């Protein structure tokens, strides 16, 4: 089905096996605010590397796995079945960096990231700039051979685990003053400080602190690409990550359907199993149908990336799959909780955890409304036939 090759099926099975190894640790993680012991987290990370599931998105030239986009989707889909972000033990370092990283960036951060020795995080969003990335207030001022960075960033996921952070800022000097540029900053650089670490809905080991950058001085070699590159890396990241969000939502949706179906078969109400009740059947039937739709369009979009389809078309398709798969996961999670009844409201129940965890899939990497705006904009500009 889906025209997967032998190589596709092999990596899919490998990722499924890894997910199945992680699932038994979910309850322990949930009971500990999403955290496992340092030894277990290290062991899972090493296992991901051993299985060839780390840096699937990077080319072999920098030590990545050189997977096709479809294969990356297959991997992310499988690990999307796991709760509490336990599968973050494998990373996808930024592939867009490979072509633009200077020698210093390549040796210092990119290659060690590909080897799984260090990891990155992203500081783009601000209190007054989320959906509207163009409203960013953080600044980068050129001073001799350095840049001086200032700003406060919100929701910096994995800041505590990362070695370096991508910092998006508005240039205040030079030919490109007023435009945005991207910088790499070591998380322990002088002037970088955690303001506070708010609690979030999900129980995962990685926090999302608010981080202040106060007069952070970095050499010009920390600029990613050129001053003229603006938001292009952010957009490239969005296209990739929206597809991967969709893939992980497919995995979550599949697990919800499997678990809710199994429960509905064994739970006897008034003498017969829930699965024989038509109201429950309707919920499961709708969920399965929506999974089929979401999966088909996600695989097809991944293929269109591999085929080198026009980047604007890919931008719209990535938005469509992110929108549809994340909204599907949200609906299915809600139905699964309902099917489990009171058990579905207990944190030890997988449906409850997924229900909380997939909520953010409709918000980060561009909220659903932003995906709708992008899709409608492309429809108006290019017409239906170019997109679907
Ligand atoms: C758990 C978590 C982790 C995150 N991790 C990171 C990270 O690592 N790095 C990072 O930089 N950011 C991160 N983010 C930020 C995330 O990308 C933003 O929250 C997201 O882009 C939405 O921006 P916002 O929160 O400012 O919402 P807002 O932009 O304030 O939007 C609020 C609501 O208004 C809607 N809206 C906005 N504009 C329009 C419009 N024009 N038309 C109609 N509706 C609109 C939105 O869809 C949304 O529903 C994270 C967020 C969360 C919750």
């Amino acid at each position: 089905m889906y025209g997967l090759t032998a190589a596709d099926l092999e990596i899919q099975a490998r990722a499924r096996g890894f997910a199945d190894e992680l699932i038994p640790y979910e309850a322990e993680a949930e009971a500990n605010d999403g955290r496992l012991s340092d030894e277990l987290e290290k062991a899972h990370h090493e296992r991901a590397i051993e299985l060839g599931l780390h840096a699937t998105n990077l080319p072999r030239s920098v030590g990545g796995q050189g997977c096709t986009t479809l294969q990356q989707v297959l991997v992310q889909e499988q690990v999307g079945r796991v709760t509490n972000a336990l599968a973050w033990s494998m990373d996808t370092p930024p592939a867009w960096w490979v072509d633009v990283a200077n020698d210093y960036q390549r040796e210092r951060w990119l290659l060690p990231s590909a080897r799984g020795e260090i990891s990155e995080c992203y500081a783009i969003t601000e209190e007054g700039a989320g959906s509207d990335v163009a409203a960013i207030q953080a600044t980068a001022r050129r001073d001799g051979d350095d840049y001086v960075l200032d700003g406060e960033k919100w929701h910096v996921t994995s800041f505590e685990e990362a070695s370096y952070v991508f910092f998006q800022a508005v240039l205040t000097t030079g030919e490109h003053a007023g435009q945005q540029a991207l910088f790499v900053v070591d998380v322990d650089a002088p002037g970088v400080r955690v303001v506070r670490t708010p609690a979030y809905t999900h129980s995962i080991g990685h926090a999302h602190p608010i981080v202040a950058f106060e007069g952070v001085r970095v050499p010009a070699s920390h600029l990613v690409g050129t001053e003229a590159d603006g938001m292009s890396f952010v957009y490239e990241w969005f296209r990739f990550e929206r597809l991967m969000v969709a893939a992980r939502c497919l995995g979550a949706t599949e697990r919800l359907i499997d678990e809710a179906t199994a429960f509905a078969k064994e739970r006897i109400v008034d003498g017969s199993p829930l699965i024989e009740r038509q109201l429950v059947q309707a919920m499961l039937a709708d969920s399965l149908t929506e999974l089929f739709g979401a999966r088909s369009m996600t695989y097809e979009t991944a293929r269109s990336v591999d085929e080198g389809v026009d980047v604007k078309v890919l931008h719209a398709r990535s938005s469509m799959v992110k929108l549809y798969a994340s909204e599907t996961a949200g609906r299915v999670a809600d139905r699964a909780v309902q099917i489990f009844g009171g058990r579905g409201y207990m944190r030890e129940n997988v449906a409850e955890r997924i229900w909380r965890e997939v909520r953010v899939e409709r918000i980060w990497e561009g909220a659903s409304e932003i995906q709708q705006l992008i899709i409608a904009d492309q429809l108006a500009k290019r017409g239906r036939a170019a997109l679907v």
Side-chain angles (χ1 to χ4, degrees):
M1 201 170 177
Y2 299 115
L4 301 180
T5 64
D8 297 340
L9 292 168
E10 191 279 322
I11 195 166
Q12 182 188 47
R14 223 184 313 147
R16 192 171 186 88
F18 183 54
D20 288 340
E21 288 177 27
L22 295 176
I23 284 173
Y25 294 98
E26 290 174 346
E28 181 182 342
E30 180 60 36
N32 293 293
D33 288 332
R35 288 226 85 100
L36 295 176
S37 66
D38 290 349
E39 297 75 51
L40 266 178
E41 286 181 7
K42 186 165 174 280
H44 291 160
H45 181 55
E46 285 170 359
R47 179 77 175 133
I49 293 172
E50 179 192 342
L51 287 169
L53 297 172
H54 175 77
T56 49
N57 61 325
L58 291 186
R60 291 191 183 277
S61 59
V62 294
Q65 298 298 321
C67 292
T68 64
T69 305
L70 179 59
Q71 289 167 350
Q72 295 170 47
V73 160
L74 295 172
V75 169
Q76 294 296 320
E77 178 180 14
Q78 290 308 319
V79 298
R81 294 165 51 237
V82 185
T83 66
N84 303 88
L86 297 183
W88 289 13
S89 46
M90 48 181 243
D91 195 12
T92 49
W96 48 262
W97 205 10
V98 174
D99 291 335
V100 295
N102 56 37
D103 290 346
Y104 174 70
Q105 293 170 9
R106 191 180 157 96
E107 293 299 321
R108 172 104 192 261
W109 296 295
L110 180 58
L111 297 182
S113 299
R115 293 193 294 267
E117 294 164 4
I118 59 173
S119 61
E120 79 288 359
C121 64
Y122 295 83
I124 316 291
T125 305
E126 299 175 4
E127 184 175 12
S131 304
D132 44 351
V133 192
I136 279 175
Q137 297 289 309
T139 55
R141 172 174 60 83
R142 184 81 195 223
D143 184 23
D145 291 338
D146 298 338
Y147 286 95
V148 180
L149 311 176
D150 285 280
E152 187 176 279
K153 297 293 186 174
W154 277 44
H155 313 294
V156 185
T157 299
S158 308
F159 180 79
E160 275 92 353
E161 283 73 21
S163 299
Y164 60 99
V165 49
F166 288 104
F167 179 83
Q168 184 84 5
V170 178
L171 296 162
T172 59
T173 48
E175 191 189 339
H176 296 281
Q179 296 173 20
Q180 291 195 19
L182 188 66
F183 297 85
V184 200
V185 182
D186 290 310
V187 292
D188 57 0
V192 179
R193 142 183 100 79
V194 171
V195 177
R196 66 185 176 92
T197 305
Y200 285 69
T201 304
H202 51 209
S203 317
I204 70 171
H206 293 223
H208 317 278
I210 297 173
V211 182
F213 295 74
E214 294 160 334
V216 178
R217 186 170 281 277
V218 294
S221 56
H222 288 222
L223 172 68
V224 180
T226 70
E227 288 194 348
D229 285 321
M231 299 208 292
S232 57
F233 305 129
V234 173
Y235 288 138
E236 205 170 325
W237 164 258
F238 277 157
R239 273 193 301 282
F240 166 77
E241 197 50 35
R242 284 170 186 165
L243 192 52
M244 298 306 149
V245 163
R248 289 188 290 272
C249 285
L250 299 179
T253 303
E254 176 185 298
R255 176 125 183 246
L256 288 162
I257 294 171
D258 288 348
E259 302 267 2
T261 305
F263 175 74
K265 280 183 174 173
E266 71 189 36
R267 171 82 174 107
I268 307 294
V269 179
D270 282 338
S272 60
L274 271 186
I275 195 84
E276 291 176 10
R277 308 288 166 145
Q278 288 182 338
L279 296 177
V280 171
Q281 288 177 347
M283 286 196 271
L284 289 170
D286 284 351
S287 300
L288 188 64
T289 305
E290 289 167 35
L291 172 61
F292 190 32
R295 180 176 282 160
S296 302
M297 66 196 281
T298 304
Y299 287 10
E300 186 59 30
T301 299
R303 276 210 177 87
S304 60
V305 176
D306 290 328
E307 285 162 5
V309 165
D310 177 76
V311 82
K312 296 273 188 199
V313 172
L314 292 179
H315 206 76
R317 286 192 189 157
S318 299
S319 289
M320 283 190 260
V321 296
K322 200 261 185 187
L323 173 66
Y324 189 68
S326 64
E327 294 284 339
T328 293
R331 279 191 299 274
V332 174
D334 194 71
R335 291 180 195 131
V337 167
Q338 200 66 16
I339 291 170
F340 275 106
R343 293 170 183 79
Y345 203 61
M346 296 163 76
R347 288 192 174 218
E348 63 192 44
N349 184 291
V350 62
E352 190 278 343
R353 294 197 299 279
I354 297 182
W355 178 58
R356 271 183 293 127
E357 290 176 13
V358 297
R359 188 62 186 86
V360 76
E361 308 289 9
R362 293 150 63 191
I363 296 171
W364 62 14
E365 309 303 344
S368 289
E369 296 74 19
I370 302 308
Q371 309 308 334
Q372 289 172 312
L373 295 181
I374 293 169
I375 297 160
D377 179 58
Q378 288 296 312
L379 175 64
K381 283 183 182 147
R382 272 157 225 286
R384 191 273 312 152
L387 303 175
V388 171

